[in-house]
Short mmCIF file of all heavy atoms in Angstrom, two decimals:
data_model
loop_
_atom_site.label_atom_id
_atom_site.label_comp_id
_atom_site.label_asym_id
_atom_site.label_seq_id
_atom_site.Cartn_x
_atom_site.Cartn_y
_atom_site.Cartn_z
N MET A 3 117.18 80.64 112.76
CA MET A 3 116.23 79.56 112.76
C MET A 3 116.95 78.19 112.89
O MET A 3 116.50 77.32 113.61
CB MET A 3 115.44 79.62 111.46
CG MET A 3 114.20 78.83 111.47
SD MET A 3 112.99 79.60 112.50
CE MET A 3 111.55 79.12 111.67
N LEU A 4 118.05 78.08 112.16
CA LEU A 4 118.81 76.83 112.22
C LEU A 4 119.45 76.64 113.59
O LEU A 4 119.52 75.51 114.10
CB LEU A 4 119.87 76.82 111.12
CG LEU A 4 120.53 75.49 110.81
CD1 LEU A 4 119.50 74.45 110.41
CD2 LEU A 4 121.55 75.65 109.71
N LEU A 5 119.91 77.73 114.21
CA LEU A 5 120.47 77.63 115.56
C LEU A 5 119.40 77.22 116.58
O LEU A 5 119.69 76.48 117.53
CB LEU A 5 121.11 78.95 115.97
CG LEU A 5 122.44 79.27 115.29
CD1 LEU A 5 122.91 80.67 115.68
CD2 LEU A 5 123.48 78.25 115.65
N SER A 6 118.20 77.68 116.37
CA SER A 6 117.10 77.30 117.25
C SER A 6 116.82 75.80 117.15
O SER A 6 116.60 75.13 118.16
CB SER A 6 115.85 78.09 116.90
OG SER A 6 114.75 77.65 117.65
N ALA A 7 116.84 75.29 115.93
CA ALA A 7 116.63 73.85 115.74
C ALA A 7 117.78 73.05 116.35
O ALA A 7 117.56 72.01 116.98
CB ALA A 7 116.50 73.53 114.25
N GLY A 8 119.01 73.54 116.20
CA GLY A 8 120.16 72.87 116.80
C GLY A 8 120.09 72.87 118.32
O GLY A 8 120.40 71.86 118.97
N GLY A 9 119.66 73.99 118.89
CA GLY A 9 119.49 74.05 120.34
C GLY A 9 118.41 73.11 120.83
O GLY A 9 118.52 72.51 121.91
N SER A 10 117.37 72.96 120.03
CA SER A 10 116.30 72.04 120.38
C SER A 10 116.79 70.60 120.38
O SER A 10 116.45 69.81 121.28
CB SER A 10 115.15 72.21 119.39
OG SER A 10 114.10 71.35 119.70
N VAL A 11 117.60 70.25 119.41
CA VAL A 11 118.16 68.89 119.35
C VAL A 11 119.09 68.65 120.53
O VAL A 11 119.03 67.59 121.18
CB VAL A 11 118.89 68.67 118.00
CG1 VAL A 11 119.70 67.39 118.02
CG2 VAL A 11 117.90 68.66 116.86
N LEU A 12 119.95 69.62 120.84
CA LEU A 12 120.85 69.45 121.99
C LEU A 12 120.07 69.35 123.29
O LEU A 12 120.42 68.55 124.17
CB LEU A 12 121.82 70.62 122.06
CG LEU A 12 123.00 70.56 121.09
CD1 LEU A 12 123.84 71.83 121.20
CD2 LEU A 12 123.84 69.35 121.36
N GLY A 13 119.02 70.14 123.44
CA GLY A 13 118.19 70.06 124.63
C GLY A 13 117.54 68.70 124.77
O GLY A 13 117.44 68.14 125.87
N CYS A 14 117.11 68.14 123.65
CA CYS A 14 116.50 66.81 123.67
C CYS A 14 117.52 65.75 124.06
O CYS A 14 117.21 64.83 124.82
CB CYS A 14 115.93 66.53 122.28
SG CYS A 14 114.64 65.31 122.28
N ILE A 15 118.74 65.88 123.57
CA ILE A 15 119.79 64.92 123.92
C ILE A 15 120.11 64.99 125.41
O ILE A 15 120.23 63.96 126.09
CB ILE A 15 121.04 65.17 123.06
CG1 ILE A 15 120.77 64.77 121.61
CG2 ILE A 15 122.25 64.41 123.60
CD1 ILE A 15 121.84 65.18 120.63
N PHE A 16 120.23 66.20 125.95
CA PHE A 16 120.52 66.34 127.38
C PHE A 16 119.37 65.84 128.23
O PHE A 16 119.57 65.27 129.31
CB PHE A 16 120.86 67.78 127.73
CG PHE A 16 122.24 68.19 127.30
CD1 PHE A 16 122.43 69.33 126.54
CD2 PHE A 16 123.34 67.45 127.63
CE1 PHE A 16 123.69 69.72 126.13
CE2 PHE A 16 124.62 67.81 127.23
CZ PHE A 16 124.79 68.95 126.47
N LEU A 17 118.13 66.02 127.76
CA LEU A 17 116.97 65.50 128.48
C LEU A 17 117.00 63.98 128.52
O LEU A 17 116.71 63.37 129.55
CB LEU A 17 115.68 66.01 127.84
CG LEU A 17 114.38 65.56 128.50
CD1 LEU A 17 114.31 66.11 129.92
CD2 LEU A 17 113.20 66.03 127.70
N VAL A 18 117.37 63.35 127.42
CA VAL A 18 117.46 61.89 127.39
C VAL A 18 118.55 61.41 128.35
O VAL A 18 118.35 60.42 129.06
CB VAL A 18 117.73 61.39 125.95
CG1 VAL A 18 118.13 59.93 125.94
CG2 VAL A 18 116.51 61.60 125.09
N LEU A 19 119.67 62.10 128.37
CA LEU A 19 120.74 61.70 129.30
C LEU A 19 120.29 61.80 130.76
O LEU A 19 120.61 60.92 131.57
CB LEU A 19 121.98 62.56 129.07
CG LEU A 19 122.72 62.31 127.76
CD1 LEU A 19 123.86 63.33 127.60
CD2 LEU A 19 123.25 60.90 127.70
N SER A 20 119.53 62.84 131.08
CA SER A 20 119.05 62.95 132.46
C SER A 20 117.99 61.89 132.76
O SER A 20 117.94 61.36 133.88
CB SER A 20 118.48 64.35 132.71
OG SER A 20 117.30 64.55 131.98
N MET A 21 117.19 61.53 131.75
CA MET A 21 116.20 60.47 131.97
C MET A 21 116.88 59.11 132.14
O MET A 21 116.39 58.27 132.91
CB MET A 21 115.21 60.43 130.81
CG MET A 21 114.28 61.63 130.80
SD MET A 21 113.27 61.73 129.34
CE MET A 21 112.11 60.43 129.65
N VAL A 22 117.99 58.90 131.47
CA VAL A 22 118.75 57.66 131.66
C VAL A 22 119.27 57.59 133.10
O VAL A 22 119.23 56.52 133.72
CB VAL A 22 119.91 57.56 130.63
CG1 VAL A 22 120.89 56.47 131.01
CG2 VAL A 22 119.35 57.33 129.24
N ASN A 23 119.72 58.71 133.63
CA ASN A 23 120.17 58.72 135.03
C ASN A 23 119.04 58.41 135.99
O ASN A 23 119.22 57.67 136.96
CB ASN A 23 120.79 60.08 135.37
CG ASN A 23 122.16 60.24 134.79
OD1 ASN A 23 122.85 59.26 134.53
ND2 ASN A 23 122.57 61.48 134.56
N VAL A 24 117.84 58.93 135.72
CA VAL A 24 116.68 58.63 136.58
C VAL A 24 116.33 57.15 136.48
O VAL A 24 116.01 56.51 137.50
CB VAL A 24 115.47 59.51 136.18
CG1 VAL A 24 114.21 59.06 136.87
CG2 VAL A 24 115.75 60.97 136.50
N ILE A 25 116.38 56.59 135.29
CA ILE A 25 116.12 55.16 135.12
C ILE A 25 117.12 54.34 135.92
O ILE A 25 116.75 53.35 136.57
CB ILE A 25 116.14 54.77 133.63
CG1 ILE A 25 114.92 55.34 132.92
CG2 ILE A 25 116.20 53.26 133.45
CD1 ILE A 25 114.95 55.21 131.42
N GLN A 26 118.38 54.73 135.90
CA GLN A 26 119.39 54.00 136.65
C GLN A 26 119.15 54.11 138.15
O GLN A 26 119.39 53.15 138.89
CB GLN A 26 120.79 54.52 136.31
CG GLN A 26 121.24 54.13 134.93
CD GLN A 26 122.69 54.48 134.70
OE1 GLN A 26 123.56 53.72 135.11
NE2 GLN A 26 122.93 55.61 134.07
N ILE A 27 118.67 55.24 138.61
CA ILE A 27 118.38 55.40 140.04
C ILE A 27 117.21 54.51 140.45
O ILE A 27 117.24 53.86 141.49
CB ILE A 27 118.10 56.88 140.38
CG1 ILE A 27 119.38 57.69 140.25
CG2 ILE A 27 117.50 57.02 141.76
CD1 ILE A 27 119.18 59.19 140.33
N ARG A 28 116.17 54.46 139.60
CA ARG A 28 114.96 53.73 139.96
C ARG A 28 115.07 52.22 139.73
O ARG A 28 114.53 51.44 140.52
CB ARG A 28 113.78 54.27 139.16
CG ARG A 28 113.50 55.73 139.35
CD ARG A 28 112.89 56.01 140.65
NE ARG A 28 111.51 55.58 140.61
CZ ARG A 28 110.69 55.66 141.62
NH1 ARG A 28 111.10 56.16 142.75
NH2 ARG A 28 109.46 55.24 141.51
N LEU A 29 115.74 51.81 138.64
CA LEU A 29 115.72 50.39 138.27
C LEU A 29 117.04 49.68 138.46
O LEU A 29 117.09 48.45 138.36
CB LEU A 29 115.28 50.25 136.80
CG LEU A 29 113.89 50.75 136.46
CD1 LEU A 29 113.62 50.61 134.98
CD2 LEU A 29 112.84 50.02 137.27
N GLY A 30 118.12 50.39 138.66
CA GLY A 30 119.42 49.76 138.84
C GLY A 30 120.40 50.25 137.80
O GLY A 30 120.02 50.73 136.73
N MET A 31 121.65 50.10 138.11
CA MET A 31 122.71 50.60 137.23
C MET A 31 122.82 49.76 135.97
O MET A 31 122.65 48.55 136.00
CB MET A 31 124.05 50.56 137.97
CG MET A 31 124.11 51.46 139.19
SD MET A 31 124.00 53.18 138.78
CE MET A 31 125.56 53.41 138.00
N LEU A 32 123.11 50.44 134.86
CA LEU A 32 123.32 49.74 133.60
C LEU A 32 124.59 48.88 133.66
O LEU A 32 124.64 47.79 133.10
CB LEU A 32 123.43 50.74 132.45
CG LEU A 32 122.15 51.47 132.07
CD1 LEU A 32 122.45 52.55 131.06
CD2 LEU A 32 121.13 50.50 131.54
N SER A 33 125.60 49.38 134.35
CA SER A 33 126.86 48.65 134.43
C SER A 33 126.74 47.36 135.25
O SER A 33 127.54 46.45 135.09
CB SER A 33 127.94 49.54 135.03
OG SER A 33 127.58 49.96 136.33
N CYS A 34 125.73 47.28 136.10
CA CYS A 34 125.51 46.06 136.88
C CYS A 34 124.68 45.03 136.13
O CYS A 34 124.49 43.92 136.61
CB CYS A 34 124.82 46.39 138.19
SG CYS A 34 125.87 47.34 139.31
N GLY A 35 124.16 45.41 134.96
CA GLY A 35 123.42 44.46 134.15
C GLY A 35 121.96 44.30 134.51
O GLY A 35 121.38 43.25 134.25
N SER A 36 121.35 45.32 135.07
CA SER A 36 119.93 45.27 135.39
C SER A 36 119.12 45.17 134.09
O SER A 36 119.16 46.06 133.26
CB SER A 36 119.53 46.52 136.17
OG SER A 36 118.13 46.59 136.30
N ARG A 37 118.41 44.06 133.93
CA ARG A 37 117.68 43.84 132.69
C ARG A 37 116.59 44.87 132.46
O ARG A 37 116.37 45.32 131.34
CB ARG A 37 117.05 42.45 132.68
CG ARG A 37 118.04 41.39 132.42
CD ARG A 37 117.33 40.10 132.18
NE ARG A 37 118.22 39.25 131.42
CZ ARG A 37 117.89 38.09 130.94
NH1 ARG A 37 116.69 37.63 131.15
NH2 ARG A 37 118.76 37.37 130.27
N ALA A 38 115.89 45.24 133.51
CA ALA A 38 114.81 46.21 133.38
C ALA A 38 115.36 47.57 132.96
O ALA A 38 114.78 48.25 132.11
CB ALA A 38 114.05 46.34 134.69
N ALA A 39 116.48 47.95 133.53
CA ALA A 39 117.09 49.24 133.18
C ALA A 39 117.60 49.23 131.75
O ALA A 39 117.42 50.22 131.02
CB ALA A 39 118.22 49.56 134.15
N VAL A 40 118.19 48.14 131.32
CA VAL A 40 118.71 48.05 129.96
C VAL A 40 117.56 48.13 128.96
O VAL A 40 117.64 48.84 127.95
CB VAL A 40 119.52 46.75 129.76
CG1 VAL A 40 119.84 46.52 128.30
CG2 VAL A 40 120.79 46.81 130.58
N ARG A 41 116.46 47.44 129.23
CA ARG A 41 115.31 47.49 128.32
C ARG A 41 114.69 48.87 128.28
O ARG A 41 114.31 49.35 127.21
CB ARG A 41 114.27 46.47 128.73
CG ARG A 41 114.59 45.08 128.23
CD ARG A 41 113.46 44.16 128.52
NE ARG A 41 113.49 43.95 129.98
CZ ARG A 41 112.77 43.05 130.61
NH1 ARG A 41 111.96 42.28 129.96
NH2 ARG A 41 112.86 42.91 131.91
N ALA A 42 114.58 49.52 129.43
CA ALA A 42 113.99 50.85 129.47
C ALA A 42 114.85 51.87 128.74
O ALA A 42 114.34 52.70 127.97
CB ALA A 42 113.79 51.28 130.93
N VAL A 43 116.15 51.81 128.94
CA VAL A 43 117.05 52.74 128.27
C VAL A 43 117.08 52.48 126.77
O VAL A 43 117.08 53.41 125.96
CB VAL A 43 118.46 52.67 128.89
CG1 VAL A 43 119.47 53.41 128.05
CG2 VAL A 43 118.44 53.23 130.31
N THR A 44 117.09 51.21 126.38
CA THR A 44 117.09 50.88 124.95
C THR A 44 115.83 51.41 124.27
O THR A 44 115.89 51.99 123.19
CB THR A 44 117.19 49.36 124.76
OG1 THR A 44 118.37 48.90 125.41
CG2 THR A 44 117.23 48.99 123.30
N THR A 45 114.69 51.22 124.90
CA THR A 45 113.43 51.72 124.35
C THR A 45 113.43 53.23 124.27
O THR A 45 113.03 53.81 123.24
CB THR A 45 112.25 51.24 125.21
OG1 THR A 45 112.28 49.82 125.31
CG2 THR A 45 110.93 51.68 124.62
N LEU A 46 113.89 53.88 125.31
CA LEU A 46 113.93 55.34 125.34
C LEU A 46 114.83 55.89 124.25
O LEU A 46 114.44 56.78 123.50
CB LEU A 46 114.41 55.83 126.71
CG LEU A 46 114.61 57.32 126.87
CD1 LEU A 46 113.27 58.03 126.88
CD2 LEU A 46 115.38 57.61 128.14
N VAL A 47 116.03 55.34 124.14
CA VAL A 47 116.98 55.84 123.14
C VAL A 47 116.48 55.56 121.72
O VAL A 47 116.61 56.41 120.83
CB VAL A 47 118.37 55.21 123.38
CG1 VAL A 47 119.31 55.47 122.22
CG2 VAL A 47 118.96 55.75 124.67
N THR A 48 115.85 54.42 121.50
CA THR A 48 115.31 54.10 120.18
C THR A 48 114.21 55.08 119.78
O THR A 48 114.22 55.60 118.66
CB THR A 48 114.77 52.66 120.16
OG1 THR A 48 115.81 51.77 120.53
CG2 THR A 48 114.22 52.31 118.80
N LEU A 49 113.28 55.32 120.67
CA LEU A 49 112.17 56.22 120.35
C LEU A 49 112.64 57.65 120.15
O LEU A 49 112.22 58.32 119.19
CB LEU A 49 111.12 56.16 121.46
CG LEU A 49 110.30 54.87 121.53
CD1 LEU A 49 109.39 54.90 122.75
CD2 LEU A 49 109.48 54.69 120.28
N VAL A 50 113.50 58.12 121.02
CA VAL A 50 113.95 59.51 120.91
C VAL A 50 114.85 59.71 119.71
O VAL A 50 114.73 60.72 119.00
CB VAL A 50 114.64 59.95 122.22
CG1 VAL A 50 115.29 61.31 122.07
CG2 VAL A 50 113.64 59.99 123.36
N SER A 51 115.71 58.75 119.42
CA SER A 51 116.58 58.91 118.26
C SER A 51 115.79 58.88 116.96
O SER A 51 116.07 59.64 116.03
CB SER A 51 117.68 57.86 118.24
OG SER A 51 117.12 56.56 118.14
N SER A 52 114.76 58.05 116.88
CA SER A 52 113.93 58.04 115.67
C SER A 52 113.15 59.34 115.54
O SER A 52 112.99 59.87 114.43
CB SER A 52 112.98 56.84 115.66
OG SER A 52 112.08 56.91 116.74
N ALA A 53 112.68 59.89 116.64
CA ALA A 53 111.98 61.17 116.59
C ALA A 53 112.94 62.30 116.20
O ALA A 53 112.56 63.20 115.44
CB ALA A 53 111.35 61.47 117.95
N LEU A 54 114.17 62.25 116.70
CA LEU A 54 115.15 63.27 116.33
C LEU A 54 115.54 63.19 114.86
O LEU A 54 115.73 64.22 114.21
CB LEU A 54 116.39 63.16 117.21
CG LEU A 54 116.29 63.82 118.58
CD1 LEU A 54 117.57 63.57 119.37
CD2 LEU A 54 116.02 65.29 118.46
N ILE A 55 115.64 61.99 114.33
CA ILE A 55 115.94 61.84 112.91
C ILE A 55 114.82 62.44 112.07
O ILE A 55 115.07 63.15 111.09
CB ILE A 55 116.19 60.36 112.56
CG1 ILE A 55 117.52 59.91 113.15
CG2 ILE A 55 116.16 60.13 111.06
CD1 ILE A 55 117.76 58.42 113.07
N LEU A 56 113.59 62.18 112.46
CA LEU A 56 112.44 62.74 111.75
C LEU A 56 112.44 64.27 111.85
O LEU A 56 112.21 64.97 110.86
CB LEU A 56 111.14 62.17 112.30
CG LEU A 56 109.86 62.66 111.66
CD1 LEU A 56 109.77 62.16 110.23
CD2 LEU A 56 108.67 62.22 112.47
N TYR A 57 112.73 64.79 113.03
CA TYR A 57 112.75 66.24 113.25
C TYR A 57 113.87 66.90 112.43
O TYR A 57 113.64 67.92 111.78
CB TYR A 57 112.92 66.54 114.74
CG TYR A 57 113.03 68.00 115.07
CD1 TYR A 57 111.94 68.84 114.93
CD2 TYR A 57 114.23 68.54 115.50
CE1 TYR A 57 112.03 70.19 115.23
CE2 TYR A 57 114.34 69.89 115.81
CZ TYR A 57 113.23 70.70 115.67
OH TYR A 57 113.34 72.02 115.97
N ILE A 58 115.05 66.33 112.46
CA ILE A 58 116.18 66.91 111.74
C ILE A 58 115.93 66.87 110.23
O ILE A 58 116.21 67.84 109.53
CB ILE A 58 117.49 66.18 112.11
CG1 ILE A 58 117.87 66.48 113.55
CG2 ILE A 58 118.62 66.56 111.17
CD1 ILE A 58 118.98 65.62 114.09
N SER A 59 115.38 65.76 109.74
CA SER A 59 115.11 65.68 108.31
C SER A 59 114.03 66.68 107.90
O SER A 59 114.11 67.27 106.82
CB SER A 59 114.71 64.27 107.92
OG SER A 59 113.50 63.90 108.55
N THR A 60 113.05 66.92 108.76
CA THR A 60 112.02 67.91 108.46
C THR A 60 112.60 69.32 108.44
O THR A 60 112.26 70.13 107.56
CB THR A 60 110.88 67.83 109.50
OG1 THR A 60 110.37 66.51 109.53
CG2 THR A 60 109.77 68.80 109.19
N VAL A 61 113.46 69.62 109.38
CA VAL A 61 114.09 70.94 109.43
C VAL A 61 114.97 71.16 108.19
O VAL A 61 114.92 72.23 107.55
CB VAL A 61 114.91 71.12 110.72
CG1 VAL A 61 115.82 72.32 110.66
CG2 VAL A 61 113.99 71.22 111.92
N LEU A 62 115.76 70.17 107.83
CA LEU A 62 116.61 70.31 106.65
C LEU A 62 115.79 70.42 105.38
O LEU A 62 116.14 71.19 104.48
CB LEU A 62 117.59 69.13 106.57
CG LEU A 62 118.65 69.09 107.66
CD1 LEU A 62 119.51 67.84 107.51
CD2 LEU A 62 119.49 70.35 107.65
N TYR A 63 114.69 69.69 105.31
CA TYR A 63 113.81 69.80 104.14
C TYR A 63 113.19 71.19 104.03
O TYR A 63 113.05 71.73 102.93
CB TYR A 63 112.72 68.73 104.20
CG TYR A 63 111.75 68.80 103.06
CD1 TYR A 63 112.11 68.37 101.80
CD2 TYR A 63 110.46 69.31 103.24
CE1 TYR A 63 111.22 68.43 100.74
CE2 TYR A 63 109.57 69.38 102.20
CZ TYR A 63 109.96 68.94 100.95
OH TYR A 63 109.08 69.02 99.92
N SER A 64 112.82 71.76 105.16
CA SER A 64 112.20 73.08 105.13
C SER A 64 113.20 74.17 104.68
O SER A 64 112.80 75.17 104.11
CB SER A 64 111.61 73.44 106.49
OG SER A 64 112.64 73.64 107.43
N PHE A 65 114.48 73.95 104.95
CA PHE A 65 115.48 74.95 104.52
C PHE A 65 115.83 74.78 103.05
O PHE A 65 116.36 75.71 102.43
CB PHE A 65 116.73 74.86 105.37
CG PHE A 65 116.60 75.61 106.66
CD1 PHE A 65 116.49 74.95 107.86
CD2 PHE A 65 116.59 77.01 106.66
CE1 PHE A 65 116.35 75.65 109.04
CE2 PHE A 65 116.45 77.71 107.84
CZ PHE A 65 116.34 77.03 109.04
N LYS A 66 115.55 73.63 102.46
CA LYS A 66 115.81 73.43 101.04
C LYS A 66 114.77 74.13 100.17
O LYS A 66 115.03 74.42 99.03
CB LYS A 66 115.85 71.95 100.70
CG LYS A 66 117.12 71.28 101.12
CD LYS A 66 117.14 69.85 100.62
CE LYS A 66 118.47 69.21 100.92
NZ LYS A 66 118.55 67.87 100.38
N GLN A 67 113.60 74.33 100.71
CA GLN A 67 112.51 74.95 99.93
C GLN A 67 112.72 76.41 99.77
O GLN A 67 112.96 77.30 100.14
CB GLN A 67 111.16 74.68 100.58
CG GLN A 67 110.81 73.22 100.62
CD GLN A 67 110.69 72.60 99.24
OE1 GLN A 67 110.26 73.25 98.30
NE2 GLN A 67 111.11 71.37 99.12
#
């Protein structure tokens, strides 16, 4: 069960990385300083990381019970 949760977290991380690449293709490279791309990536990473923290804490809490 714990390995399944770990695989889910890794899958989510890889999905975010691929979405960052799509954002860079559509809006411009992050290294070139595209403001729209930086804002989109920042928003995406903030939302996904907060969701992952909530998910991980829920999984760890369920194993403590």
Side-chain angles (χ1 to χ4, degrees):
M3 196 72 149
L4 194 58
L5 286 175
S6 175
S10 180
V11 169
L12 281 176
C14 203
I15 290 170
F16 285 128
L17 181 63
V18 167
L19 290 175
S20 68
M21 290 172 74
V22 167
N23 285 335
V24 170
I25 289 171
Q26 288 189 82
I27 291 170
R28 302 286 285 179
L29 298 177
M31 297 294 291
L32 290 172
S33 60
C34 292
S36 171
R37 284 190 157 186
V40 170
R41 278 187 288 190
V43 169
T44 303
T45 304
L46 175 71
V47 169
T48 303
L49 289 175
V50 172
S51 62
S52 63
L54 278 177
I55 289 171
L56 180 68
Y57 177 70
I58 291 169
S59 64
T60 304
V61 167
L62 292 177
Y63 178 74
S64 69
F65 278 109
K66 284 186 175 183
Q67 297 298 325

